[in-house]
Amino acid sequence: MTDVNDTLPNVTVADSAGNPVNLAALSGPFVLYFYPKADTPGCTNEAKDFTELAAEFAALNCPVYGMSKDKPAKLAKFAAKYALNVHLLSDEASDATEQMGVWVEKSMYGKLYMGIDRSTFLVGKDGKVAQVWRKVKVKDHAAEVLAAAKAL
């Protein structure tokens, strides 16, 4: 499970165009947030909230990456549909989600299943995780992450 002061795992995922992105090779600062599924209400609102603040994150030279297990083509449609200004990543193989501890057992209506725990990681200039949010509630979350990024 990835926590504060850890580096991201040496895992390669795909961006929305299908290009490889190695998490360990990304240089900080940056935000990496995990969301359960593209084009669902909570995930759409979260992506829109980060998009609304994209210029402020850019002013900090702090790109925002959102990751789910959706296929790259679905991510591309999701980004186009809502004019999203975040980098969407696909972890179809579950390598990053499992290694970072966001692939967890969940429960809905008494039924247990595995899914992504909505989580956010703020990585500092040194490449180490500076702050972690788990079990994220979407409302006001992007603004909270921006405030933390400004404090780096």
Side-chain angles (χ1 to χ4, degrees):
M1 179 179 286
T2 303
D3 209 344
V4 172
N5 292 322
D6 290 344
T7 56
L8 296 189
N10 186 13
V11 171
T12 300
V13 296
D15 67 12
S16 60
N19 300 311
V21 176
N22 184 286
L23 296 183
L26 294 174
S27 52
F30 64 90
V31 174
L32 175 62
Y33 74 92
F34 287 84
Y35 60 96
K37 191 170 179 137
D39 212 5
T40 57
C43 299
T44 299
N45 288 335
E46 185 174 25
K48 286 171 144 182
D49 289 349
F50 276 112
T51 293
E52 282 181 23
L53 299 173
E56 292 184 62
F57 279 104
L60 299 171
N61 292 315
C62 183
V64 176
Y65 299 89
M67 188 179 308
S68 69
K69 289 177 54 63
D70 295 306
K71 295 180 184 301
K74 183 173 182 178
L75 297 178
K77 287 180 186 176
F78 178 48
K81 182 176 180 179
Y82 296 102
L84 300 177
N85 193 11
V86 296
H87 306 281
L88 298 179
L89 303 174
S90 169
D91 185 28
E92 286 185 87
S94 293
D95 293 333
T97 53
E98 288 184 26
Q99 288 187 42
M100 293 185 70
V102 300
W103 187 247
V104 299
E105 186 175 78
K106 299 171 106 178
S107 176
M108 184 182 296
Y109 306 116
K111 183 177 180 181
L112 297 176
Y113 66 98
M114 296 300 290
I116 290 179
D117 178 33
R118 192 181 305 276
S119 302
T120 302
F121 300 83
L122 175 61
V123 177
K125 291 178 187 173
D126 61 359
K128 293 185 178 183
V129 175
Q131 194 160 345
V132 177
W133 294 263
R134 297 201 184 267
K135 299 192 184 314
V136 167
K137 302 295 182 212
V138 172
K139 185 171 173 39
D140 300 322
H141 178 63
E144 181 182 352
V145 175
L146 178 62
K150 286 179 178 179
L152 284 179

